Amino acid sequence: MEIGAFILAQQRSYDQPSEQVILNSIEQTQACEAAGFSTAWYAEHHFNNYSLVPSPLQMVAACSGRTSRIRLGTAVCVLPLYQPQRLLSEIGFADIVTGGRLDLGVGSGYQQFEFERFGVDVDNAPEVFLEHLEIIEKGLKQKIFEHNGKHITIPPTAIAVRNVQKPHVPIWIAAGSPRSMTRAYKSGHNLFVTALQEGLDQIAVLRDQIGESAEAAGKSVKDARVAFLRCAYASDNDAEIEHYLDCARFQRRLSEALHKRRQQMPDGYLLRETPTEKDVPLEQLRKNLPVGSVNQVIDRMLEEISILKPDQVAIQTQLGDFDQKTMLKQIEVWGERIIPAIQKEVGATAIAAQ
């Protein structure tokens, strides 16, 4: 059972300079390696404060020289915003400089505001994503490839900078629907899934969707690895927990606003945080998520793992405007107490089931 970290590099106010947010994220990655996390994942967003990482592959490359063991992943590269033939070279470069520690997460994207500024129609994103994914698959597997599709034509092309992992870097598909899950199973890729900030019932629904998608592809559920993105936070300080939940709600509000950007600050960059009809009361979020004391978090994580049965849980502790000292302490708590306890219990359960 792997525990990874999802590092969003989020900014909630101008009191957090962009330079400091990025440097903090790199330091958090180093702390995650020291704490025993399996993977550090980085998002991709543009033109707003939801996340300050414009290129997860650049973050991977930046962290490669500051770490030696932890795997470094993109969660995700938004394929419709790329020229796939150029992305292939960047994937190879990142895999080389990490010494074969790259995990390639890809997705179609959803934020209309971002797509408009790249001149890309977000309504076509799912279709373009599938075509670009096909090109990525060709370029990773073939020394010389070509493509003649609806959206792009590529003459016979060789990618000079090749990935070092064999047969190619692991590909993780951000699977937000049964269709994308089925595509992952059919292609032999892994799944990166989330229940957002919902509770156990939604996790059970997600597990059913994964099983049905595997069956639709003629596969076993175990034919793909599953990573589960989850907000989680451990503390005996109730005020700290409340602040974390408030930051989680802040993230949800921004995500919803960016589907169709409604409001922004006068400079056009920092989003105003506004309540929405989908807001969940903080007390309900507390019930939905693995938050609370160390033992409460361990118990809840084990319950969620027993339902979803993922290969990895990628926890998200960095949200909103938490200070760096608190973030590093949280990572340390996971490394010292939570990760060992979860791995011990999951390992014992697996042995008993044999």
Side-chain angles (χ1 to χ4, degrees):
M1 181 71 223
E2 297 177 353
I3 305 295
F6 182 75
I7 299 176
L8 187 58
Q10 195 165 73
Q11 181 188 39
R12 195 170 186 177
S13 74
Y14 289 119
D15 293 333
Q16 302 164 275
S18 58
E19 176 186 8
Q20 196 59 58
V21 172
I22 297 300
L23 294 177
N24 283 352
S25 297
I26 294 172
E27 186 179 17
Q28 288 164 24
T29 302
Q30 293 173 293
C32 284
E33 177 171 82
F37 284 79
S38 66
T39 313
W41 298 94
Y42 310 105
E44 174 183 342
H45 290 284
H46 305 272
F47 317 125
N48 60 73
N49 56 310
Y50 184 81
S51 170
L52 300 191
V53 177
S55 168
L57 283 172
Q58 279 194 324
M59 274 295 289
V60 165
C63 293
S64 65
R66 295 171 171 85
T67 58
S68 60
R69 300 181 308 279
I70 192 170
R71 294 191 65 82
L72 304 170
T74 65
V76 296
C77 289
V78 183
L79 290 191
L81 302 182
Y82 287 86
Q83 291 179 312
Q85 60 273 54
R86 174 171 182 145
L87 183 60
L88 278 163
S89 294
E90 295 177 353
I91 291 166
F93 182 91
D95 199 38
I96 289 170
V97 298
T98 60
R101 290 185 286 137
L102 174 65
D103 278 289
L104 178 66
V106 296
S108 61
Y110 68 93
Q111 294 188 0
Q112 178 176 324
F113 184 84
E114 296 179 334
F115 276 68
E116 287 175 347
R117 278 144 189 81
F118 283 107
V120 179
D121 187 350
V122 71
D123 292 334
N124 291 334
E127 183 180 274
V128 174
F129 166 77
L130 291 175
E131 185 169 335
H132 284 195
L133 178 59
E134 182 182 347
I135 295 168
I136 295 297
E137 291 168 337
K138 288 179 180 178
L140 290 176
K141 296 175 182 177
Q142 303 171 21
K143 291 184 178 180
I144 300 176
F145 73 96
E146 59 185 304
H147 182 80
N148 186 13
K150 178 178 178 180
H151 297 279
I152 187 171
T153 298
I154 303 173
T157 300
I159 302 300
V161 185
R162 309 293 301 182
N163 53 265
V164 297
Q165 296 183 77
K166 303 301 179 187
H168 55 74
V169 299
I171 297 176
W172 300 75
I173 293 182
S177 69
R179 179 186 178 189
S180 55
M181 293 177 189
T182 301
R183 173 67 167 84
Y185 273 105
K186 285 182 177 179
S187 304
H189 301 321
N190 303 315
L191 281 69
F192 203 97
V193 301
T194 179
L196 299 175
Q197 296 167 6
E198 304 300 327
L200 297 176
D201 288 346
Q202 187 56 42
I203 294 175
V205 169
L206 185 58
R207 177 62 186 182
D208 289 342
Q209 289 176 338
I210 293 171
E212 291 164 3
S213 299
E215 184 177 353
K219 302 284 187 176
S220 163
V221 170
K222 294 183 180 180
D223 286 336
R225 300 188 71 219
V226 176
F228 179 44
L229 173 61
R230 196 63 168 153
C231 290
Y233 196 89
S235 175
D236 292 323
N237 185 321
D238 194 64
E240 195 173 311
I241 293 292
E242 285 289 308
H243 184 56
Y244 178 77
L245 293 171
D246 180 62
C247 286
R249 186 169 63 181
F250 162 77
Q251 177 188 348
R252 183 71 175 268
R253 286 172 173 173
L254 260 60
S255 178
E256 291 167 7
L258 284 164
H259 275 284
K260 291 187 177 179
R261 192 158 182 174
R262 297 187 294 266
Q263 296 185 45
Q264 61 191 60
M265 295 296 277
D267 66 1
Y269 158 66
L270 195 72
L271 283 168
R272 278 202 183 97
E273 178 186 357
T274 55
T276 77
E277 65 277 4
K278 296 183 180 179
D279 267 356
V280 178
L282 296 187
E283 193 54 42
Q284 184 60 47
L285 279 182
R286 185 187 287 261
K287 295 177 182 177
N288 287 354
L289 299 173
V291 298
S293 69
V294 166
N295 287 338
Q296 287 175 320
V297 169
I298 292 170
D299 290 344
R300 179 54 182 262
M301 290 281 291
L302 289 171
E303 187 175 10
E304 294 187 358
I305 289 167
S306 71
I307 296 171
L308 188 65
K309 300 177 176 62
D311 299 278
Q312 180 182 143
V313 180
I315 63 150
Q316 184 176 0
T317 57
Q318 189 278 328
L319 288 169
D321 56 359
F322 261 112
D323 65 277
Q324 181 72 344
K325 182 178 179 180
T326 302
M327 288 294 91
L328 295 178
K329 179 61 178 176
Q330 180 67 194
I331 291 168
E332 185 179 310
V333 168
W334 278 80
E336 290 181 352
R337 302 181 62 185
I338 301 176
I339 293 176
I342 290 174
Q343 290 180 333
K344 180 180 179 180
E345 182 64 27
V346 170
T349 301
I351 292 172
Q354 292 177 354

